[in-house]
Amino acid sequence: AGPCDIYASGGTPCVAAHSTTRALYSAFSGSLYQVKRGSDNTTANIAPLSAGGVANAAAQDSFCASTTCLITIIYDQSGRGNHLTQAPPGGFRGPESNGYDNLASATGAPVTLNGQKAYGVFVSPGTGYRHDAASGTATGDAAQGMYAVFDGTHYNDQCCFDYGNAETSNTDTGSGHMEAIYFGTCTIWGFGSGNGPWIMADLENNLFSGQKTKLNSADPTISDRFLTTVVKGEPNQWAIRGGNAASGSLSTYYSGVRPSGYNPMHKEGAILLGIGGDNSNGAQGTFYEGVMTSGYPSDATEASVQANIVAAKYATTSLTSGTALSVGSSISLQATTPGYTTRYIAHTGSTVNTQIVSSSSSTTLKQQASWTVHTGLGNSACFSFESRDTPGSYIRHNNFVLLLNSNDGSKQFAEDATFCPETGLDGQGSSIRAWGYPTRYFRHYNNVTYIASNGGVQFFDAASLFNDDASFKVNTGFA
Ligand code: AHR
Ligand code: AHR
């Protein structure tokens, strides 16, 4: 059985079932998600390998070979057509044209399930999915349940990495107009014990960690790499639950009456992922699977769902490919765009650019074009690049421009300075992906360097020459 078979036997059937990693019904063999590739903007649907099984990641890999791919649709497996697509503007505008949010990279969150590769949905700030005209989801004070499996190590303090029930207008229509799972370290509203991250409920105009506003100390800091999160609600009763998605059972962090001002609820029934009800889109996180039910699931039903998630055996896999890097070595990064191959990634002060470098260049220039490889400051599965001539300073992105800045020790710096190289998009060397923005790669454009997406809205995202500009030969450093 899949999670939605379990909810159905419990009398609380799924009315929305989303996953890019696996079928959530034992009989489901339809499309799990759709990807769009950068080379020709065509799309492909990805289905499970067999009914009830893990997604066919090999089909995606072959469709997306030598180009970039975005997740355009996360299909609803419940049969109600509650598919998630690129979120439209609302109270806040997204970064894409017409104020839409970004789509997620199709390759930002690789994992294995029972040893088979699959991809989750890596939500960077600016990314969001939504379905405003949903069918069968709870409205008003009606009961619903939700669970989602997230990466408990990927979060931030912005509003709001959510999955669940929200406004149909993409705007804040008042307290009680949402009932979604939230995960992260946002402390504007509620928070739990410790430093976070916390599982909370986004009930609109407030993230709740329990019945009170602000601190409810029974809601713990929880950051399992694979994390099961649960929020459910019915008239004057709701709960927050969670646990390790790779082992063990769920714990209850709150179960009781509604907070003041939230009884009755005014749920509107739209579905969102990665954003707040008003399209606040500053948050980040990773989604693997999640559902919404009709009716308030019992703890016993959720225990069976948790056992099913554990049996799916989520595990990590490599985030990198391409030219092997060894920590501690000095490297140079050579442009592969025809006409630019005498250029290497270098810096002039804090500007990171490409410069013409050779064995007869000055020692100063050789040092400016050489980088010491470090274990990724923000993720140990990836890498950071320290300047040879300015120790303590690393290549980082800021507003999508590469800069050489000194490490200030912050979580933001560590993440901005972490990159995951993969096989070069043009077939040469490596393409160096930003860990926190997996649609974006090191790119030289007018001899200045950026993190660029293929065909995005920034001038340096131009699709022309993207693969060449975003591929670099990795050589031994000049100095
Ligand atoms: O409830 C927290 C957030 O407040 C909601 O997600 C958003 O709509 C509003 O800004
Ligand atoms: O480069 C994109 C983002 O811009 C960085 O993550 C952040 O430091 C800045 O806001």
Side-chain angles (χ1 to χ4, degrees):
C4 287
D5 303 306
I6 296 166
Y7 279 113
S9 347
T12 52
C14 293
V15 291
H18 301 113
S19 177
T20 55
T21 63
R22 65 171 183 143
L24 300 176
Y25 294 84
S26 62
F28 187 82
S29 58
S31 297
L32 298 171
Y33 63 105
Q34 183 192 72
V35 296
K36 183 173 80 170
R37 66 183 174 197
S39 51
D40 60 4
N41 285 318
T42 60
T43 59
N45 285 329
I46 307 299
L49 289 161
S50 59
V54 175
N56 187 351
Q60 175 185 310
D61 289 343
S62 129
F63 182 74
C64 301
S66 302
T67 187
T68 53
C69 267
L70 300 172
I71 297 172
T72 35
I73 304 175
I74 304 166
Y75 290 108
D76 171 23
Q77 301 175 31
S78 80
R80 290 180 171 272
N82 289 328
H83 313 311
L84 292 170
T85 57
Q86 188 169 18
F92 294 89
R93 291 173 69 77
E96 290 286 352
S97 47
N98 302 318
Y100 276 66
D101 292 346
N102 293 135
L103 294 165
S105 163
T107 57
V111 289
T112 60
L113 280 73
N114 276 304
Q116 287 171 317
K117 191 172 184 188
Y119 293 100
V121 184
F122 190 105
V123 171
S124 309
T127 302
Y129 292 83
R130 199 154 184 143
H131 186 104
D132 279 333
S135 146
T137 49
T139 56
D141 206 27
Q144 68 164 358
M146 297 170 288
Y147 87 85
V149 177
F150 297 145
D151 177 344
T153 68
H154 184 205
Y155 55 84
N156 71 9
D157 61 2
Q158 299 295 300
C159 176
C160 287
F161 182 73
D162 288 351
Y163 173 75
N165 194 317
E167 292 94 338
T168 56
S169 60
N170 318 310
T171 59
D172 180 348
T173 50
S175 300
H177 285 249
M178 294 183 67
E179 187 172 71
I181 304 169
Y182 166 84
F183 179 68
T185 50
C186 184
T187 54
I188 301 169
W189 299 286
F191 45 89
S193 55
N195 294 323
W198 305 282
I199 306 166
M200 297 193 273
D202 191 341
L203 304 182
E204 191 51 275
N205 291 320
N206 228 311
L207 301 175
F208 283 98
S209 54
Q211 202 261 334
K212 295 178 292 177
T213 57
K214 303 290 179 187
L215 174 66
N216 291 276
S217 48
D219 195 28
T221 290
I222 187 165
S223 57
D224 297 294
R225 173 63 179 79
F226 297 102
L227 182 66
T228 307
T229 62
V230 169
V231 168
K232 54 184 170 180
E234 63 181 344
N236 205 19
Q237 164 66 36
W238 67 289
I240 303 174
R241 311 187 71 215
N244 185 341
S247 72
S249 53
L250 299 178
S251 300
T252 300
Y253 303 135
Y254 177 76
S255 178
V257 299
R258 295 284 183 182
S260 165
Y262 290 78
N263 181 39
M265 293 288 286
H266 308 283
K267 291 174 237 188
E268 298 191 21
I271 307 171
L272 50 59
L273 171 61
I275 47 179
D278 55 6
N279 196 42
S280 295
N281 53 35
Q284 64 184 27
T286 296
F287 173 90
Y288 299 104
E289 59 177 77
V291 311
M292 298 165 70
T293 69
S294 170
Y296 193 81
S298 67
D299 287 3
T301 294
E302 287 165 353
S304 301
V305 168
Q306 165 67 2
N308 178 280
I309 295 165
V310 170
K313 286 202 177 5
Y314 274 93
T316 57
T317 187
S318 175
L319 289 176
T320 60
S321 60
T323 310
L325 292 180
S326 71
V327 169
S329 67
S330 170
I331 60 165
S332 66
L333 295 166
Q334 181 183 9
T336 64
T337 309
Y340 293 82
T341 57
T342 54
R343 289 184 167 270
Y344 292 77
I345 295 182
H347 76 97
T348 304
S350 62
T351 299
V352 180
N353 49 25
T354 63
Q355 299 189 50
I356 297 170
V357 191
S358 71
S359 55
S360 47
S361 297
S362 69
T363 302
T364 301
L365 181 55
K366 285 178 173 174
Q367 288 189 344
Q368 288 170 339
S370 300
W371 307 95
T372 303
V373 176
H374 287 269
T375 299
L377 296 172
N379 187 306
S380 61
C382 296
F383 297 96
S384 295
F385 303 103
E386 185 187 18
S387 166
R388 289 297 279 178
D389 61 20
T390 316
S393 286
Y394 293 78
I395 300 178
R396 63 87 57 95
H397 59 86
N398 188 275
N399 291 321
F400 312 121
V401 180
L402 289 181
L403 297 177
L404 185 70
N405 282 169
S406 113
N407 181 3
D408 65 10
S410 65
K411 177 175 181 287
Q412 185 75 63
F413 185 93
E415 294 180 355
D416 290 351
T418 298
F419 301 95
C420 311
E422 56 186 48
T423 302
L425 285 164
D426 71 358
Q428 302 183 70
S430 296
S431 290
I432 303 168
R433 188 169 68 179
W435 173 80
Y437 288 85
T439 60
R440 296 185 170 275
Y441 295 82
F442 274 26
R443 182 198 193 156
H444 64 96
Y445 196 91
N446 292 335
N447 304 327
V448 177
T449 58
Y450 303 90
I451 53 167
S453 68
N454 189 2
V457 296
Q458 312 268 2
F459 70 87
F460 49 79
D461 295 333
S464 170
L465 291 176
F466 184 84
N467 281 4
D468 287 337
D469 289 353
S471 300
F472 296 88
K473 280 191 187 163
V474 182
N475 306 314
T476 303
F478 289 102

